[in-house]
């Protein structure tokens, strides 16, 4: 028996859903990065992305948000459109790729409702000319018209046809999306749905559209073909359903579906997005209780979803009967091989999702997908081609043991080179240690431990408490040099910066006990903003001084949405404000031509970092083959460090 089956017997016990038998209780949750053509078809990149999840050991791989009625339901710029001519080929290829990699293929059937004609977080292009919702509505994004009964019936038929098409193309399951603020959430809402016909009024009437669609989908796919429904356990908004009403809806559809996927919240509500897709400020498994409650009232198997990644926690959820299945989204971007590693008893090598939303952010920015901790995410197609083995074994020196240095060392060593990693501190990790010091940043600390373990397992020679110098490089005489020496904290020429009450951000993050009760943080970037939250959790009274008009403006909008809620609870924020002088009693500031003092026992300097280019250049002059990676190339975040290191090391 494989180690994982002994350690996680419930995760790796099979379960039958309709006419398929799942080999384990892990489903790759519906995701839909925008690697879709403008005609609404799969691209080879999208297919390779789905295929890798199957290779990683999930029992089912689900593609998210395929649109059944493109004329009215397209809520994002680029989405799979089931009624687009020519869509079948890519769908069939996707289903085959998932099958050939060992999993069942599932696909989510969706309609944006009113967001088919309004600007959504998914973009503004390709919307229909008219926004149709359950009832007329005036919104900041535009007017919504009541969906005519004839259109309701037409959309029901589109679900029937779309489901049949998915089955014909080889998919093994379909999922009807009835949550997150899309079409059926809107009709179920007692606030948005003010209709007086058979689709409005009582909860039974408001659910009628959904029930008719489920009947049409069943007709389209036939008996025993698995139908899953994504349903809220609680919309968590004043305009949506509460838990009790969600239970009633679940009971109504219990006989029509083969699996419940219980989520929550509203995708289009910025304040709820970070709960629907839980941020780092929520505990792992924050939404599991909703699945557990629904499960008490239905006979159909129930799946839970929402930032789950730890096999031990997943095992407990299933063993205690809170859910029958767990669906994993972002954690399978960070490490698609999570199920396989758990099965093999190698869970300590699972790359942890940081819940940084870089995946969501990149989809909005470039219509691709990436991951802060997985450099091959979104690059699966090119990775399939492989790389030539090195022509010879090289002597490699990596200067710096932060995330970039460790990733480069691991990758180069795994390619067969003789790698030495030299770090001036007494341990590897670099700025991952201060970055992971806060209670809500445990995932970064876990990532650091994973990298350190991989360095050891790759056979890298590690030299600690040693700073790489020009003399060291000359004596070492490497064939290849990786310069990964990080960046230096900026110490601006502010009067009073050398006072004893001033502490640099890294030192403060690692040693919050050095801080007094009242703390002023100079700099409202990501470092300063997260520091304020962390110090507040330590019982400090915090203020942020930021010269720009907003804090944390460099952060992707998805992470920033959850971050700002916490920052505003944790600190007084002074925007468009400059620091004139640091005093023993606080900070002298200026805003709108007026000076004032913000009192403080301690002043934290979080004014950014600067790459040591002179040192980098002098090191590079000493090696014929060199690569500059991480913050000393350009100051960035974890993604830039890991990505630059991995791909540079692949060139060696």
């Amino acid at each position: 028996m494989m180690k994982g089956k002994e350690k996680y017997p419930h995760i790796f016990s099979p379960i039958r859903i309709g006419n398929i038998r799942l080999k384990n209780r892990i489903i790759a949750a519906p995701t839909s990065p925008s690697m879709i053509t403008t005609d609404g078809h799969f691209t080879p990149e999208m297919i390779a992305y789905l295929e890798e999840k199957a290779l990683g050991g999930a029992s089912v791989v689900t593609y998210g948000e395929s649109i059944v009625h493109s004329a009215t339901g397209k809520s994002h710029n680029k989405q799979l459109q089931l009624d687009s001519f020519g869509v079948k080929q890519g769908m069939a290829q996707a289903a085959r790729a998932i099958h050939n990699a060992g999993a069942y293929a599932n696909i989510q059937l969706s309609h944006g409702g009113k967001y088919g004609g309004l600007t959504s977080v998914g973009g503004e292009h390709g919307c229909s000319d008219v926004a149709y919702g359950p009832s007329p509505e005036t919104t900041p994004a535009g007017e919504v018209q009541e969906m005519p009964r004839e259109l309701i019936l037409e959309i029901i038929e589109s679900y029937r046809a779309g489901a049949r098409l998915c089955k014909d193309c080889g998919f093994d399951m379909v999922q009807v999306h009835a949550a997150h603020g899309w079409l059926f959430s809107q009709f179920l809402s007692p606030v948005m749905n003010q209709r007086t016909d058979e689709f409005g009024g009582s909860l039974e009437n408001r659910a009628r559209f959904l029930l008719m669609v489920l009947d049409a989908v069943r007709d389209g796919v036939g008996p025993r073909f698995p139908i899953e429904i994504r349903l809220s356990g609680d919309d968590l908004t004043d305009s949506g359903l509460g838990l009790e009403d969600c239970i009633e809806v679940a009971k109504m559809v219990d006989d029509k579906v083969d699996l419940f996927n219980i989520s929550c919240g509203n995708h289009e509500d910025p304040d709820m997005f970070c709960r629907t897709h839980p941020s780092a400020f929520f505990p792992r498994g924050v939404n599991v209780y909703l699945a557990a409650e629904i499960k008490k009232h239905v006979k159909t198997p129930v799946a839970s979803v929402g930032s789950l990644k730890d096999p031990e926690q997943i095992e407990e959820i299933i063993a205690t009967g809170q859910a029958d299945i767990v669906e994993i989204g972002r954690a399978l971007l960070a490490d698609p091989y999570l199920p396989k590693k758990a099965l093999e008893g190698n869970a300590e090598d699972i790359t942890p999702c940081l819940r940084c939303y870089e995946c969501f952010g990149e989809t909005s920015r470039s219509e691709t997908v990436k991951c802060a901790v997985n450099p091959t995410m979104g690059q699966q197609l090119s990775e399939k081609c492989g790389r030539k083995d090195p022509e010879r074994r090289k002597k490699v020196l990596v200067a710096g043991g932060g995330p970039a240095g460790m990733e480069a060392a691991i990758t180069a060593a795994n390619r067969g080179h003789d790698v030495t990693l030299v770090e001036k501190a007494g341990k590897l990790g670099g700025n991952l240690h201060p970055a992971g010091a806060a209670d809500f940043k445990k995932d970064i600390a876990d990532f650091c431990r994973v990298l350190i373990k991989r360095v050891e397992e790759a056979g890298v020679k590690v030299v600690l408490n040693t700073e790489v110098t020009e003399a060291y490089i000359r004596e070492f005489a490497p064939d290849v040099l990786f310069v990964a020496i990080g960046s230096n904290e900026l110490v601006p020429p502010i009067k009073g910066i050398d006072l004893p009450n001033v502490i640099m951000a890294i030192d403060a993050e690692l040693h919050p006990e050095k801080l007094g009760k009242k703390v002023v943080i100079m700099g409202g970037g990501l470092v300063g903003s997260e520091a304020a939250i962390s110090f507040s959790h330590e019982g400090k009274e915090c203020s942020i001084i930021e010269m720009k008009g907003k804090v944390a403006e460099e952060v992707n909008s998805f992470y920033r949405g959850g971050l700002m809620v916490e920052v505003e609870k944790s600190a007084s924020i002074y925007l468009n404000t400059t620091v004139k002088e640091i005093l023993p009693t606080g900070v002298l500031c200026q805003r709108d031509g007026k000076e004032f003092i913000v009192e403080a026992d301690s002043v934290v300097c979080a004014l950014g970092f600067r790459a040591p280019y002179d040192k980098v250049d002098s090191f590079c002059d000493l090696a014929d083959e060199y690569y500059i990676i991480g913050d000393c190339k350009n100051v960035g975040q974890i993604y830039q460090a890991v990505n630059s290191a991995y791909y540079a090391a692949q060139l060696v």
Side-chain angles (χ1 to χ4, degrees), residues 148-400:
R149 188 175 188 278
E150 295 75 16
L151 181 55
I152 290 175
L153 298 178
E154 183 178 318
I155 290 171
I156 291 170
E157 289 306 308
S158 75
Y159 271 92
R160 186 194 320 270
R164 183 181 295 120
L165 182 144
C166 292
K167 182 181 180 182
D168 288 346
C169 289
F171 282 84
D172 307 284
M173 294 175 63
V174 293
Q175 181 192 95
V176 174
H177 198 339
H180 297 178
W182 303 128
L183 176 65
F184 299 117
S185 288
Q186 295 163 27
F187 267 78
L188 288 168
S189 165
V191 175
M192 283 184 253
N193 188 343
Q194 297 294 315
R195 302 175 73 100
T196 57
D197 62 5
E198 70 267 40
F199 298 105
S202 66
L203 181 60
E204 289 76 12
N205 279 1
R206 301 197 310 273
R208 190 182 305 277
F209 192 1
L210 172 60
L211 296 175
M212 292 174 71
V213 158
L214 290 173
D215 287 340
V217 168
R218 173 58 69 201
D219 183 64
V221 297
R224 293 181 295 281
F225 187 92
I227 299 174
E228 181 182 12
I229 185 169
R230 169 163 272 186
L231 200 64
S232 286
D234 192 332
D235 285 330
L236 300 172
T237 66
D238 293 337
S239 64
L241 301 183
L243 175 57
E244 291 306 315
D245 280 338
C246 289
I247 290 171
E248 290 305 309
V249 175
K251 288 159 68 174
M252 290 180 202
V253 304
D254 196 13
D255 290 330
K256 298 179 184 294
V257 300
D258 301 283
L259 178 65
F260 284 98
N261 174 316
I262 301 301
S263 187
C264 71
N266 187 314
H267 192 278
E268 293 299 303
D269 183 340
D271 293 332
M272 283 309 311
F273 187 94
C274 60
R275 178 61 187 272
T276 301
H277 313 276
S279 73
F281 303 105
F282 290 102
R284 297 277 181 182
V286 64
N287 296 333
V288 172
Y289 77 98
L290 296 169
E293 192 59 36
I294 295 288
K295 185 168 166 53
K296 295 175 184 176
H297 300 275
V298 297
K299 66 180 187 304
T300 302
V302 173
S304 182
V305 68
S307 80
L308 295 165
K309 71 171 181 64
D310 181 3
E312 290 192 6
Q313 183 183 22
I314 295 170
E315 173 69 16
E316 181 185 5
I317 289 167
I318 299 169
T320 55
Q322 297 176 77
D324 301 288
I325 291 170
V326 162
E327 304 208 13
I328 303 177
R330 287 170 289 168
L332 290 187
L333 273 67
D335 197 333
Y337 297 90
L338 183 159
K340 189 171 187 285
K341 289 179 179 179
L343 178 61
E344 294 172 348
N346 195 23
E348 66 275 7
D349 189 55
I350 293 171
T351 307
C353 167
L354 306 186
R355 296 192 283 185
C356 61
Y357 299 99
E358 281 298 317
C359 46
F360 283 105
E362 194 62 28
T363 294
S364 295
R365 273 191 299 267
S366 70
E367 297 179 351
T368 60
V369 66
K370 74 180 186 186
C371 175
V373 293
N374 180 359
T376 64
M377 179 47 55
Q379 306 295 315
Q380 284 91 344
L381 190 61
S382 58
E383 287 291 308
K384 285 177 68 174
C385 299
R387 291 177 174 81
K388 292 197 314 183
D389 291 334
E391 294 180 0
R392 64 184 178 90
R393 191 168 191 251
K394 296 180 181 179
K395 183 181 179 184
V396 176
L397 172 62
V398 181

Side-chain angles (χ1 to χ4, degrees), residues 404-527:
M406 288 192 286
E407 183 65 38
I410 294 162
T411 305
N414 287 339
R415 283 180 58 75
H417 297 296
D418 179 12
V419 181
T420 300
L421 173 58
V422 181
E423 166 57 41
K424 66 181 179 181
K427 58 184 177 181
L428 297 176
N431 281 345
L432 291 178
H433 291 293
D439 56 342
F440 58 90
K441 304 298 278 187
K442 178 181 179 294
D443 295 319
I444 292 180
D446 290 343
F447 179 53
C448 184
R449 284 191 287 273
V450 168
L451 287 181
I452 290 172
K453 184 174 183 294
R454 289 177 184 169
V455 167
E456 296 169 355
E457 292 176 344
V460 176
K461 303 181 188 73
V462 177
V463 180
L464 300 175
N465 299 303
T466 302
E467 184 170 3
V468 172
T469 62
E470 292 181 38
Y472 191 100
I473 296 170
R474 288 193 187 94
E475 183 177 349
F476 191 95
D479 297 317
V480 181
L481 173 66
F482 286 93
V483 184
I485 57 177
S487 57
N488 301 319
E489 290 183 280
L490 283 175
V491 184
I494 299 172
K495 186 177 180 181
I497 194 75
D498 54 352
L499 287 173
N501 62 332
V502 179
I503 182 169
M504 300 305 291
I506 288 177
D507 194 15
E509 289 174 320
L510 290 172
H511 302 287
E513 70 277 3
K514 293 183 179 182
L515 301 173
K517 179 69 174 175
K518 291 186 177 180
V519 179
V520 165
I521 300 167
M522 300 188 301
L526 179 60
V527 172

